[in-house]
Amino acid sequence: MSQSPLLSRRKTLQMLAGIPMLPLGAGASAALLTACGGGGGGNASFKSVSFTGMAAPTLAAPAAMATTTVGSAMKVLFDDDSSQTYNLAYQPFFITGDMVSDGKGGKILAGGYVDINNKPITDATVAGSERQFFSDSPDGTSLLTVADAKVDGVKGKPVFAVVQFEYTTWAQDGKSDMYGKLPSPIAVLTLDQDQKTGKLSLVKYHNVDTSKVHGLWITCGASLSPWGTHLSSEEYEPDAFSIASNAMFKAYSKNLYGSDTAANPYHYGHMPEIIVNKDGTASIKKHFCMGRISHELVQVMPDSRTALMGDDATNSAYFVFVADKEKDLSSGSLYVAKVGAGFSIDPSATGAAALTWIKLGSATSAEIENLASTLKPTDIMTVVSKDPEDTSFTKIVANGKTEWIKLNAGMEKAAAFLETHRYAALKGASMGFTKMEGTTVNAKDKIAYSALQNCQSSMVAGNAANVPGNGVSIPKALNAGAVMALNLRGGQKDTSGAAINSEWMPVDTKALLAGEDISADALGNTGNPNKICNPDNLKFSEKMRTLFIGEDSSQHVNNFLWAYNIDTKTLSRLMSIPAGGESTGLHAVDEINGWTYIMSNFQHAGDWGGIHAVVKDTLDPLIKANYKNKSGAAVGYLTGTPNQPSLKS
């Protein structure tokens, strides 16, 4: 692009919104301004960004394996062929379990759990050391602004981060498994953005009151809507037919309501939305009309109506929700895909597998919430685990299990939105994926990206969970997973021939990147450490032309955060997560008040598996020392510093 050689500082900073990893400090700002004509009268313009990856840490430096380690760099290229390189770093806002400011002169526990009455939930597993439960698993994060926001204590400009906490792994006794047994909190962080450096500082921590939406269960990935709200998730839908024997859900109900039978399973497995207020508080909605599936991450397309949803289950599928109105997810139509011939997870394969769409139904959130509150599962359908030898039943595979189901008369809508997996299988959808995690969109090229954490079980021909003929079938498992690319088009019709009212429907799917299973190396990795492995979080930056990938891997001793340039096809390792932890909370923000950020958290550091046998004894005491005896985890962002303080014209 061309520009005047003399630019105001503000205009130049806005132009530099495409430069990542700001804030870089005042020296870096001066360097960039000089390079772009802000100081010396030159007329070079920002052109592109590339990353120099870091090596994976090893036991030669055990401290690096036991914390967030960043050894990568960012190179900014200008159109006069000049460039500047910046070293990257990680900046946490807090470690969960810290006492932080509540904005009212007091303190609040970061990541702390509360019940339906917003009262602290106590961990009493160690006598004499009772304390409030707090999470070691922060996940989905959104960075956003609100018009005319004003929060006491902010000296620069107020910026807000919405952070959700998926679960806590263990009680403080280190023995009591707490996964899924506590109601997931969501917090709004008011951040003070320094207008000279772009640095973000925590001013206020506010817990969102989730009582009006029955509390939240296992909130995982998240995204920022085009209209500036935080789109959350409830990762798994508790099986209403077996809820009486579900010890995890009973414990959840007990911690939330004080009764192990008070929570209704049909109230969970939906998509919550957080709306931040001007003062750093927030309200919440739960959209019951987007399908009750294993919501991992929802990506709303630029039309502000079409949502592609991750479905983190065995026998999962591509689901799309098309809202009736822009910026309003409270009513619309739900679709599920059939996968055509040629499906492959090999990025070198030619062609792509076509996607066609089955309409499951249309509904409002209010009517489905009413059905959820009034219907029992047996009101909707009959489900049996053995062949009833009755032709009125249909054999399906759902959540890795073979079942026979019979839909009750007039219950199509209830089934579509409350028993979505089973109903989609009944309607002939391709329910064959495993662990479909994050989704994101490259709007310029109209391509969506979808992470398959693992390609196994229901995806593998001959496996008991695989459905022959459903289009999702690979010859052998790829435990290391893959990232799929889906072309987006308008003018599509569903399988009944009715028009789909969206210009952003996926029409095919093809592998973009894949991991590689290996025999255990000297460190214990069973996935190639120089390739992605078990991709989970995905976020795409339009200005950087970069797909960011966070791992949830049981095959990498340390999980990594990667950057993949879709034009140059370059994959760069940006950050290493503490061993045994998962890379979460990924959010690439192209511009907020002239600055660009990449948010990143981690979960459950030191959660050891079989691959950690070589490193566990060395790293366990280090991680315990770094992260509150393995009870804490970091919430923060990537930043950087220049190699030199300024550039001369």
Side-chain angles (χ1 to χ4, degrees):
M1 78 183 173
S2 61
Q3 63 178 40
S4 168
L6 296 177
L7 294 174
S8 70
R9 180 180 179 87
R10 169 56 55 196
K11 185 172 180 62
T12 302
L13 286 174
Q14 290 173 344
M15 178 201 71
L16 292 171
I19 298 177
M21 304 312 168
L22 303 176
L24 299 170
S29 298
L32 291 170
L33 287 166
T34 301
C36 292
N43 62 353
S45 300
F46 163 72
K47 183 178 180 180
S48 65
V49 163
S50 61
F51 294 96
T52 300
M54 58 175 279
T58 69
L59 284 176
M65 299 185 71
T67 189
T68 48
T69 298
V70 184
S72 52
M74 173 196 72
K75 183 178 181 180
V76 181
L77 179 66
F78 303 98
D79 64 0
D80 65 353
D81 292 329
S82 64
S83 65
Q84 180 67 24
T85 299
Y86 301 87
N87 295 324
L88 304 182
Y90 183 70
Q91 178 64 52
F93 298 125
F94 56 77
I95 304 298
T96 57
D98 286 352
M99 298 300 294
V100 297
S101 172
D102 65 1
K104 305 173 185 177
K107 296 288 185 179
I108 188 171
L109 183 68
Y113 287 91
V114 297
D115 63 16
I116 199 69
N117 298 309
N118 294 304
K119 301 298 183 183
I121 302 174
T122 300
D123 180 348
T125 58
V126 177
S129 298
E130 293 81 5
R131 61 165 173 81
Q132 184 180 359
F133 273 109
F134 60 88
S135 176
D136 67 338
S137 297
D139 206 304
T141 301
S142 295
L143 195 69
L144 55 92
T145 57
V146 175
D148 303 318
K150 182 174 176 57
V151 181
D152 290 343
V154 174
K155 298 176 182 178
K157 289 189 176 181
V159 174
F160 303 103
V162 183
V163 182
Q164 57 197 46
F165 300 89
E166 186 178 3
Y167 58 88
T168 197
T169 308
W170 303 100
Q172 62 174 325
D173 64 0
K175 300 176 182 179
S176 301
D177 181 1
M178 296 306 299
Y179 179 82
K181 296 178 180 178
L182 295 163
S184 296
I186 291 187
V188 178
L189 315 182
T190 297
L191 306 170
D192 187 349
Q193 186 190 48
D194 188 310
Q195 294 305 289
K196 293 182 179 180
T197 67
K199 182 180 179 181
L200 301 173
S201 302
L202 180 63
V203 171
K204 174 182 176 180
Y205 182 108
H206 170 77
N207 264 334
V208 179
D209 181 0
T210 65
S211 61
K212 293 181 180 179
V213 296
H214 318 287
L216 302 176
W217 196 48
I218 313 182
T219 54
C220 195
S223 65
L224 183 68
S225 74
W227 54 95
T229 59
H230 176 86
L231 302 181
S232 180
S233 59
E234 288 183 310
E235 186 176 18
Y236 300 108
E237 78 282 23
D239 185 0
F241 283 88
S242 62
I243 208 67
S245 61
N246 188 329
M248 179 194 299
F249 192 75
K250 284 183 176 181
Y252 170 83
S253 180
K254 180 75 172 179
N255 283 312
L256 179 60
Y257 287 107
S259 163
D260 62 7
T261 59
N264 177 350
Y266 280 146
H267 287 156
Y268 308 97
H270 301 286
M271 208 292 294
E273 180 177 15
I274 311 299
I275 303 95
V276 178
N277 301 319
K278 297 177 182 180
D279 63 353
T281 61
S283 61
I284 185 171
K285 303 175 183 178
K286 191 181 285 189
H287 297 293
F288 289 81
C289 55
M290 298 180 72
R292 186 169 167 270
I293 61 174
S294 296
H295 285 289
E296 165 72 20
L297 194 153
V298 171
Q299 177 63 56
V300 177
M301 301 301 165
D303 65 351
S304 294
R305 294 178 55 250
T306 306
L308 174 63
M309 298 179 279
D311 184 22
D312 187 8
T314 300
N315 296 105
S316 57
Y318 289 125
F319 287 93
V320 166
F321 177 77
V322 180
D324 293 331
K325 300 177 183 178
E326 292 183 7
K327 304 179 183 180
D328 182 356
L329 300 175
S330 65
S331 68
S333 299
L334 181 63
Y335 298 87
V336 64
K338 287 180 66 71
V339 178
F343 178 79
S344 173
I345 57 169
D346 181 357
S348 66
T350 58
L355 299 176
T356 53
W357 294 92
I358 300 168
K359 183 177 180 180
L360 297 180
S362 300
T364 68
S365 181
E367 65 180 316
I368 302 305
E369 184 177 12
N370 179 63
L371 293 177
S373 300
T374 57
L375 294 177
K376 300 186 298 294
T378 51
D379 294 331
I380 301 172
M381 61 176 62
T382 303
V383 177
V384 297
S385 58
K386 294 182 179 180
D387 188 351
E389 298 182 355
D390 181 339
T391 57
S392 65
F393 282 77
T394 301
K395 180 182 178 181
I396 67 165
V397 183
N399 298 308
K401 299 178 181 179
T402 299
E403 299 175 333
W404 287 260
I405 66 173
K406 181 169 69 173
L407 187 66
N408 294 345
M411 285 292 160
E412 289 80 7
K413 181 173 287 190
F417 293 94
L418 295 178
E419 290 289 342
T420 308
H421 278 143
R422 291 183 169 109
Y423 187 67
L426 181 68
K427 297 289 284 184
S430 293
M431 307 296 293
F433 295 100
T434 52
K435 301 292 289 178
M436 184 185 292
E437 304 269 359
T439 59
T440 191
V441 64
N442 167 358
K444 178 181 178 181
D445 298 332
K446 293 195 79 168
I447 297 173
Y449 304 107
S450 175
L452 297 175
Q453 182 186 337
N454 309 105
C455 301
Q456 57 189 23
S457 59
S458 62
M459 295 184 68
V460 180
N463 186 281
N466 181 257
V467 180
N470 77 350
V472 183
S473 184
I474 57 178
K476 66 176 183 177
L478 177 62
N479 297 317
V483 175
M484 308 300 290
L486 297 80
N487 285 304
L488 307 169
R489 301 286 186 270
Q492 303 303 301
K493 295 181 179 181
D494 66 27
T495 52
S496 73
I500 301 175
N501 187 19
S502 171
E503 295 298 310
W504 294 85
M505 291 297 293
V507 297
D508 57 28
T509 182
K510 184 182 187 304
L512 176 74
L513 291 170
E516 179 186 358
D517 297 336
I518 62 172
S519 299
D521 64 15
L523 204 60
N525 294 299
T526 60
N528 186 335
N530 295 316
K531 294 185 177 182
I532 64 165
C533 195
N534 309 125
D536 189 325
N537 282 211
L538 295 183
K539 285 294 186 293
F540 185 75
S541 167
E542 295 286 338
K543 293 183 177 179
M544 289 181 263
R545 299 286 290 170
T546 296
L547 178 65
F548 295 95
I549 304 166
E551 295 181 341
D552 177 10
S553 178
S554 58
Q555 295 178 258
H556 279 173
V557 172
N558 286 88
N559 280 327
F560 306 120
L561 174 62
W562 301 89
Y564 178 72
N565 186 292
I566 62 165
D567 296 321
T568 65
K569 316 300 183 189
T570 302
L571 181 68
S572 307
R573 183 188 289 107
L574 299 187
M575 181 166 70
S576 175
I577 302 302
E582 171 187 343
S583 176
T584 63
L586 180 59
H587 182 206
V589 186
D590 280 338
E591 193 273 333
I592 287 186
N593 300 323
W595 306 98
T596 300
Y597 302 90
I598 292 180
M599 315 304 292
S600 185
N601 310 326
F602 69 81
Q603 295 184 350
H604 54 71
D607 187 17
W608 305 121
I611 66 166
H612 298 105
V614 175
V615 304
K616 177 181 176 181
D617 289 348
T618 301
L619 300 185
D620 196 60
L622 299 177
I623 289 177
K624 285 180 176 177
N626 289 341
Y627 300 111
K628 297 182 169 65
N629 200 32
K630 300 198 293 188
S631 293
V635 172
Y637 65 103
L638 282 169
T639 183
T641 55
N643 288 344
Q644 54 190 44
S646 66
L647 293 175
K648 295 182 179 180
S649 58

